Amino acid sequence: MNLPRMGLGCMSLSHAYGTPPSEEDGLRLLRAALDGGIGMLDTATLYGGGRNEELVGRALSGRRDEVVLASKGGMALIDGVKRIDGRPETLRAQVDASLGRLGVEHIDLYYLHRWDRSVPIGESVGALAELVAAGKIGAIGLSEVSVARLREALAVAPIAAVQNEYSLWSRNPELGMLDATRDAGIALVAFSPIARGFLGDAVRDPQELDANDIRRSMPRFLPEHWPANAALLPAWRALAAEAGCTPAQLALAWLLSRGPHVAPIPGTTRIDHLHENQAAAELVVDPALLARAGVLIDTATVSGARYAPGPAAEVDAESLEDAA
């Protein structure tokens, strides 16, 4: 399926980054995104224990046909605890629940949010293929998977998109997934394209983040790594100024230059940042400057792993730490 070059990641409106905005403010942002022509909204069963899908559903009321609607299953909050469960019966139930929360009859793109290592991926994908045949979902996606897992899935059913983390400071897709998706005609949907706010110059002191902000447990934001990473920001700001754009826009422009099949989904809780991100799709940046950006912020210059050991064990995508 053809995806827009850029979408909106909706997670931060309900989940993960401290206290989310009010429902009214979340709706205001989503409606501003629709008014601005954003082409894809990305949500999930997990986000806010289903509240994010309900929020997106309210925003889409009367406007369903304006966007590609994407959601995810196979990972959910059960009694407040995150559970990965890729069993066919679980996925069928979660799709039905997502349809209800979203208030729609059809979800355009539905991802397996994480591969459940206790369930062969072919079984999970096979269940999603049945849901495609039933008309409940339009296409199948996979999230945080490796090239090997993608190939296993492709042996069972067509895969429309792979959603893995990809940004200047998280280059894991360059260990094979960038090429594999391009060669197979699959979209590579890049989540956290602004490096969880780092490349947007939005984090000045991680110790000031809300106590329940997930970045507080991510190695790159911890005291042993943050000073080295923060030291990159003055040169990053200067490079964006040279490009005539904001730091966040430069991060998105670099990603968009990685191939026509790469689709970033930056998230935000602020309408001014929403418009700033959307404008990045129209930027023309000198390729030589983009190359310099790729040298300044790269695996060799960034300190710390992508995830702490626990969350890292949940991810199947190729690991730069393992490749080192």
Side-chain angles (χ1 to χ4, degrees), residues 27 30 41 43 51-62 69 101-104:
L27 282 172
L30 288 169
L41 298 181
T43 181
R51 292 190 302 276
N52 195 251
E53 288 181 318
E54 293 172 352
L55 183 69
V56 170
R58 285 189 62 190
L60 285 179
S61 179
L69 177 59
R101 286 189 292 265
L102 289 161
V104 300

Side-chain angles (χ1 to χ4, degrees), residues 125-140:
V125 170
L128 294 178
E130 293 172 1
L131 292 163
V132 171
K136 294 184 177 183
I137 64 176
I140 302 168

Side-chain angles (χ1 to χ4, degrees), residues 160-231:
V162 170
Q163 184 178 139
N164 283 8
E165 184 173 354
Y166 191 22
S167 71
L168 280 157
W169 86 342
S170 290
R171 302 291 189 91
N172 306 63
E174 295 175 5
L175 297 176
M177 187 59 76
L178 181 65
D179 292 341
T181 47
R182 182 197 61 228
D183 295 346
I186 295 170
L188 177 57
V189 176
F191 77 83
S192 295
I194 308 176
R196 304 187 186 273
F198 174 78
L199 294 174
D201 209 10
V203 182
R204 295 304 176 96
D205 182 358
Q207 298 304 308
E208 295 178 354
L209 296 172
D210 284 358
N212 59 345
D213 190 307
I214 61 171
R215 290 171 291 189
R216 278 186 165 270
S217 64
M218 291 182 162
R220 293 171 184 173
F221 294 97
L222 296 180
E224 57 265 41
H225 298 291
W226 176 252
N229 293 328

Side-chain angles (χ1 to χ4, degrees), residues 18-307:
T19 303
S22 68
E23 183 171 343
E24 291 73 19
D25 286 343
L27 282 172
R28 191 174 296 113
L29 184 135
L30 288 169
R31 288 167 178 159
L34 295 172
D35 292 342
I38 198 75
M40 177 168 58
L41 298 181
D42 182 274
T43 181
T45 294
L46 176 73
Y47 302 159
R51 292 190 302 276
N52 195 251
E53 288 181 318
E54 293 172 352
L55 183 69
V56 170
R58 285 189 62 190
L60 285 179
S61 179
R63 309 183 68 169
R64 171 65 184 88
D65 295 337
E66 296 181 25
V67 296
V68 172
L69 177 59
S71 193
K72 312 177 196 71
M75 184 160 65
L77 289 177
I78 308 297
D79 297 326
V81 178
K82 182 176 67 177
R83 302 288 188 193
I84 296 174
D85 184 348
R87 292 175 298 170
E89 59 269 29
T90 298
L91 294 173
R92 287 191 287 265
Q94 289 182 351
V95 166
D96 285 342
S98 290
L99 290 168
R101 286 189 292 265
L102 289 161
V104 300
E105 297 180 352
H106 178 86
I107 298 169
D108 300 309
L109 174 60
Y110 197 85
Y111 295 92
L112 181 67
H113 204 161
R114 291 288 187 276
W115 172 45
D116 181 349
R117 296 176 188 273
S118 68
V119 179
I121 198 165
E123 291 185 16
S124 300
V125 170
L128 294 178
E130 293 172 1
L131 292 163
V132 171
K136 294 184 177 183
I137 64 176
I140 302 168
L142 305 172
S143 182
E144 287 282 35
V145 295
S146 62
V147 173
R149 221 62 54 217
L150 172 61
R151 289 173 178 156
E152 289 179 23
L154 284 169
V156 176
I159 302 298
V162 170
Q163 184 178 139
N164 283 8
E165 184 173 354
Y166 191 22
S167 71
L168 280 157
W169 86 342
S170 290
R171 302 291 189 91
N172 306 63
E174 295 175 5
L175 297 176
M177 187 59 76
L178 181 65
D179 292 341
T181 47
R182 182 197 61 228
D183 295 346
I186 295 170
L188 177 57
V189 176
F191 77 83
S192 295
I194 308 176
R196 304 187 186 273
F198 174 78
L199 294 174
D201 209 10
V203 182
R204 295 304 176 96
D205 182 358
Q207 298 304 308
E208 295 178 354
L209 296 172
D210 284 358
N212 59 345
D213 190 307
I214 61 171
R215 290 171 291 189
R216 278 186 165 270
S217 64
M218 291 182 162
R220 293 171 184 173
F221 294 97
L222 296 180
E224 57 265 41
H225 298 291
W226 176 252
N229 293 328
L232 299 170
L233 288 173
W236 174 246
R237 296 182 197 114
L239 197 60
E242 184 179 343
C245 64
T246 69
Q249 288 174 331
L250 182 57
L252 292 169
W254 180 86
L255 261 181
L256 290 166
S257 76
R258 306 306 290 163
H261 68 303
V262 177
I265 51 167
T268 184
T269 60
R270 291 175 45 174
I271 291 178
D272 58 338
H273 287 169
L274 170 73
H275 295 322
E276 175 187 339
N277 293 341
Q278 286 180 280
E282 307 301 324
L283 283 176
V284 177
V285 181
D286 182 357
L289 191 147
L290 291 175
R292 288 164 57 199
V295 172
L296 175 63
I297 310 291
D298 193 4
T299 306
T301 62
V302 170
S303 180
R306 186 161 72 104
Y307 286 126

